[in-house]
Amino acid sequence: AQSVTQPDIHITVSEGASLELRCNYSYGATPYLFWYVQSPGQGLQLLLKYFSGDTLVQGIKGFEAEFKRSQSSFNLRKPSVHWSDAAEYFCAALSNFGNEKLTFGTGTRLTIIP
Amino acid sequence: DVKVTQSSRYLVKRTGEKVFLECVQDMDHENMFWYRQDPGLGLRLIYFSYDVKMKEKGDIPEGYSVSREKKERFSLILESASTNQTSMYLCASSIGTGHGEETQYFGPGTRLLVL
């Protein structure tokens, strides 16, 4: 079955430190891949997406993600986090065979400490 | 910018009530989706629609129905609300298959409490 795994439920980092959030997928063929962010009480905002091409994808708010086919991973990174980055982050995948069902990971909650 | 709006941010209903959650998108998108979000479970797809009057079951359709009479509007209906339907409900839309752009855009969510 198709699935998306975010192994870290909760991560705490210091403001100004670097960040990496992990995401692994299990699909028959490489899916489309997305990262969304959800601030408390809000809907989901798209950070970035990967469809094909360059495996390093730049997104909004200074985030980037790297697609690694050999590891079935699409990890999200930011070189220096800000207090406003505290939120929940969701990785998601969509089959590229016309099935419109987006599969989400269970999310990683990010806490920023001063 | 794509705009997806949901009729209520917070809703409190009693067990057995019929509940309507409304979602409207302003980008002429073909596809619309309803998810529920629960702690530790992420987002789970309830129903989706790829055209007016068309609907497809998602992963957890039990206890829900949907209606799409107009392209821009997708309604989620809880025929008889139960306490286990207390959750955050998120609506999303996407342009549709074959356009080379499969990104789903989300509304702000409706937090439903069933007493």
Side-chain angles (χ1 to χ4, degrees):
Chain A
Q2 298 168 335
S3 66
V4 176
T5 302
Q6 292 180 250
D8 303 305
I9 296 172
H10 185 203
I11 284 183
T12 300
V13 299
S14 299
E15 190 168 15
S18 64
L19 171 71
E20 182 168 28
L21 302 183
R22 297 183 290 164
C23 173
N24 293 94
Y25 63 89
S26 175
Y27 273 69
T30 300
Y32 301 135
L33 294 161
F34 306 83
W35 274 100
Y36 287 88
V37 61
Q38 185 180 35
S39 297
Q42 303 298 314
L44 273 67
Q45 181 182 19
L46 180 70
L47 281 176
L48 47 78
K49 59 192 176 188
Y50 173 77
F51 285 179
S52 64
D54 193 345
T55 56
L56 188 62
V57 180
Q58 301 298 319
I60 62 171
K61 304 186 181 192
F63 285 91
E64 65 180 26
E66 186 171 14
F67 168 67
K68 291 186 177 179
R69 185 189 305 276
S70 62
Q71 298 177 18
S72 297
S73 70
F74 188 55
N75 294 349
L76 182 71
R77 300 195 296 243
K78 186 169 185 178
S80 176
V81 297
H82 185 261
W83 63 266
S84 61
D85 293 324
E88 187 142 23
Y89 292 79
F90 291 93
C91 181
L94 180 69
S95 169
N96 56 12
F97 288 115
N99 180 340
E100 301 282 352
K101 292 172 66 173
L102 193 61
T103 299
F104 283 87
T106 51
T108 298
R109 185 160 61 92
L110 176 65
T111 298
I112 309 294
I113 55 175
Chain B
D1 271 358
V2 176
K3 185 140 186 176
V4 180
T5 57
Q6 295 181 230
S7 51
S8 306
R9 294 299 303 275
Y10 301 95
L11 214 50
V12 180
K13 296 292 182 181
R14 296 210 174 271
T15 301
E17 278 192 79
K18 190 168 186 176
V19 181
F20 292 87
L21 303 182
E22 303 283 340
C23 175
V24 177
Q25 50 91 7
D26 67 355
M27 285 302 293
D28 201 36
H29 282 178
E30 292 178 359
N31 297 338
M32 296 188 75
F33 307 82
W34 275 107
Y35 295 89
R36 65 175 281 176
Q37 181 182 17
D38 300 288
L41 297 177
L43 279 80
R44 295 177 291 166
L45 182 65
I46 305 171
Y47 267 97
F48 68 103
S49 167
Y50 52 88
D51 202 352
V52 175
K53 297 193 186 296
M54 305 300 288
K55 61 185 179 184
E56 292 281 344
K57 292 181 180 179
D59 299 318
I60 52 164
E62 296 79 19
Y64 303 94
S65 62
V66 290
S67 171
R68 192 160 180 207
E69 297 296 319
K70 294 184 177 181
K71 191 175 186 179
E72 68 271 17
R73 187 179 298 269
F74 192 35
S75 303
L76 180 69
I77 304 157
L78 287 65
E79 296 288 343
S80 177
S82 64
T83 55
N84 63 12
Q85 292 179 308
T86 290
S87 187
M88 173 74 133
Y89 290 87
L90 291 162
C91 175
S93 73
S94 69
I95 191 168
T97 310
H99 296 268
E101 170 54 79
E102 318 297 343
T103 304
Q104 291 186 20
Y105 297 91
F106 285 80
T110 296
R111 191 168 292 281
L112 173 67
L113 172 62
V114 182
L115 300 173

